[in-house]
Amino acid sequence: MAQVRAIADFWQGSYPAAHRLLLDGAGLVRETDPHQAALLLIQAVHPSWYLGERQLAATLTGLAELPLDDADPLVPVAAYLLHLDRGRAERPPPLSDILAEARRRGRVPDQALMILSGTALALGQDADAYDLATALAAEHRARGGAGRLPTALFFMAEGEVFSGRHLDALATATEALGLARDTGQQQWISQFGSVLAYLDATRGEEAACRVNAEKALAGAASGADAGGAAWAHWSLGLLDLGLGRAEAALARFERLTREPLRHHICATRSTPDLVESAVRVGAPERAAEPLARFERWAGSVRQPWADALVLRCRGLLAADDQAEAFYTAALGLHDQDRRALEYARTALLYGEWLRRARRKAEARGWLNDALEVFDRLGMRPWAERARGELTATGAQDQGARPAAGPAADLTPQELQIARLAAQGLSNRDIAAQLFLSHRTVGYHLYKAYPKLGIASRSELKDFAGQLGL
């Protein structure tokens, strides 16, 4: 009963109540049923995450002290979660290894798998987290589990944002926000509203960004920040940074460096934005502590893309005779294909540095690389900045390039339906997956075909790759 009530409280954003119920429930069965107690404490990690580092640490300590049988499938799960403690320096094992070890011991409950997906994102294992969240979402769709689906979709959306797949993230977040509203889950209404605010910020759509962020921040329950607070502050800071308001951006990012948000995934991932803002306002000292924290995190997760971001930050802060070495080292570590956005942002900064050093011919190549990505993702403020830098090098302004593929013109729901139809699913199958009527699915396909320049379902399947689906 404690577990059921806690889930309801969590979905309403009542994190203190949910956390207390789960801890009390675990205490009731700690000696008689350690497995159930472990499951309750694993679930308690989620509300404790929103309460602050002290509550998270206490939850992890309780989990570590449980008298679990060595053969229990939750043993490797609990060991993995302990890496959320920022005091641990050793590299966490890959999520795939943890899943394999846990499943060799027995069945791992869905609740634990969901927490593993979020934990993997916090530990920088984005691809593994995304794969697990995608599998969980597919299972919930197959069984009609609309209640748990928003949780899986949130971790999917985060993975899509972090890898620069903004069109996918828009489709995922839009569907999930509708589901969260239909099922009354204030926690996910707030979270997905703030993810949409982030996507608005990348496109420079100020009014939409502020509306979505303010709605997300307004959803706070008593005794806690809104679930989407971290994403909302990152979004508003990114909006200001993109539009050239560096002081306002820095103040927003600095809110993420304080409790109870500073351990959040958004607080970690926004650190390079904070460093850039601090440099632009001429106050690099304001970036010192956050960057040191980010470097410790990158050192523990040991992901090449995280190391590249550390190098980018050092390039921003370095003297002119040292900056180039940091930028080129960062560009060498970036994955230009799977994480193109971070590559583009470093290329833009390096191109700007080269242009200031009067090495205009060298700057053009990097600035063109950055511009191609920004235009493809529809990131207008960054594209305009790159285009302005190119003009300053003497290059002719070619004008804005269209976002990649006809699929960029689809609404989020049209995109999602067209992708499923391209996989060969019938309208009724698509309707079952998306909790829509088959007539609604047919209507959206009818609207999508002209935008894609096709006339039939067979063309949709044959040309899915060329259409950006």
Side-chain angles (χ1 to χ4, degrees):
M1 286 302 297
Q3 184 179 33
V4 172
R5 289 172 58 198
I7 292 170
D9 281 336
F10 177 76
W11 283 349
Q12 289 302 314
S14 298
Y15 310 125
H19 189 238
R20 184 175 60 254
L21 279 166
L22 290 167
L23 294 187
D24 290 347
L28 289 171
V29 295
R30 184 181 187 277
E31 302 301 331
T32 56
D33 191 351
H35 175 86
Q36 180 66 20
L39 188 57
L40 288 163
L41 288 175
I42 287 168
Q43 205 156 349
V45 167
H46 211 163
S48 75
W49 186 262
Y50 293 95
L51 295 175
E53 290 179 311
R54 181 177 56 81
Q55 292 88 340
L56 175 61
T59 305
L60 294 173
T61 298
L63 185 59
E65 293 174 349
L66 273 179
L68 278 175
D69 187 293
D70 285 344
D72 194 307
L74 295 181
V75 168
V77 174
Y80 186 73
L81 264 58
L82 295 181
H83 287 276
L84 289 171
D85 181 354
R86 287 297 184 102
R88 298 185 65 149
E90 68 270 26
R91 183 180 189 178
L95 176 61
S96 54
D97 290 355
I98 296 299
L99 289 172
E101 176 61 27
R103 285 166 172 162
R104 273 197 296 269
R105 298 167 181 236
R107 179 183 172 275
V108 184
D110 280 358
Q111 302 100 299
L113 292 173
M114 207 79 80
I115 300 300
L116 278 177
S117 181
T119 300
L121 286 167
L123 299 178
Q125 297 177 8
D126 295 357
D128 284 349
Y130 183 79
D131 289 344
L132 177 56
T134 302
L136 289 168
E139 290 174 12
H140 289 307
R141 288 190 195 282
R143 67 171 72 119
R148 286 203 179 274
L149 190 53
T151 309
L153 292 177
F154 179 68
F155 296 137
M156 281 181 61
E158 286 194 308
E160 288 159 353
V161 167
F162 298 152
S163 57
R165 294 162 53 195
H166 290 181
L167 197 59
D168 291 340
L170 179 61
T172 301
T174 301
E175 180 203 3
L177 179 58
L179 281 171
R181 285 173 174 156
D182 290 344
T183 52
Q185 297 185 45
Q186 181 57 46
Q187 152 71 11
W188 298 121
I189 293 172
S190 175
Q191 286 281 32
F192 285 111
S194 59
V195 171
L196 291 176
Y198 176 94
L199 297 171
D200 293 331
T202 65
R203 297 189 297 268
E205 296 177 0
E206 182 164 10
C209 176
R210 294 197 180 282
V211 167
N212 279 321
E214 286 165 10
K215 286 181 179 177
L217 290 168
S222 176
D225 285 339
W231 272 99
H233 292 310
W234 188 12
S235 303
L236 292 168
L238 195 67
L239 175 73
D240 284 328
L241 179 60
L243 296 177
R245 302 189 292 248
E247 183 60 55
L250 180 57
R252 186 68 67 171
F253 295 137
E254 286 179 329
R255 295 189 67 168
L256 292 169
T257 67
R258 299 187 287 270
E259 277 275 64
L261 300 176
R262 67 177 184 174
H263 65 286
H264 278 233
I265 295 172
C266 292
T268 301
R269 307 284 179 123
S270 67
T271 302
D273 298 326
L274 183 151
V275 173
E276 183 175 340
S277 302
V279 169
R280 290 190 179 279
V281 301
E285 69 282 356
R286 290 166 68 178
E289 195 281 330
L291 179 56
R293 187 176 172 89
F294 184 74
E295 288 179 330
R296 289 194 297 272
W297 175 80
S300 67
V301 303
R302 300 180 198 174
Q303 296 286 338
W305 60 263
D307 293 336
L309 293 176
V310 169
L311 289 165
R312 179 210 289 174
C313 292
R314 289 178 177 170
L316 277 163
L317 293 164
D320 277 347
D321 60 342
Q322 299 173 329
E324 183 170 20
F326 288 121
Y327 285 134
T328 55
L331 289 163
L333 284 178
H334 278 305
D335 187 332
Q336 192 171 352
D337 297 319
R338 287 182 292 183
R339 300 184 85 98
L341 175 54
E342 295 299 353
Y343 167 84
R345 290 192 60 182
T346 303
L348 172 59
L349 290 168
Y350 183 42
E352 289 174 336
W353 183 89
L354 288 168
R355 197 266 307 162
R356 291 195 302 271
R358 302 185 185 280
R359 294 159 60 182
K360 296 181 180 181
E362 293 174 73
R364 287 184 201 120
W366 297 107
L367 293 170
N368 270 313
D369 280 356
L371 179 58
E372 186 277 326
V373 174
F374 296 144
D375 273 340
R376 173 160 52 86
L377 294 177
M379 296 179 64
R380 181 180 56 78
W382 278 266
E384 289 179 355
R385 186 167 130 196
R387 196 169 284 110
E389 287 290 329
L390 275 167
T391 302
T393 68
Q396 185 175 357
D397 187 355
Q398 301 294 319
R401 306 165 195 173
D409 295 328
L410 301 181
T411 68
Q413 194 156 64
E414 288 168 355
L415 173 65
Q416 200 166 33
I417 289 170
R419 281 188 167 155
L420 292 171
Q423 295 172 22
L425 274 68
S426 69
N427 284 9
R428 290 190 181 275
D429 288 337
I430 296 170
Q433 284 216 21
L434 302 182
F435 305 99
L436 301 170
S437 75
H438 70 277
R439 291 184 180 84
T440 299
V441 171
Y443 171 77
H444 284 297
L445 281 174
Y446 172 78
K447 299 285 285 184
Y449 286 165
K451 296 180 182 179
L452 294 170
I454 60 173
S456 69
R457 204 181 196 94
S458 61
E459 285 185 273
L460 184 67
K461 191 172 182 180
D462 291 342
F463 300 108
Q466 296 94 309
L467 294 171
L469 298 173

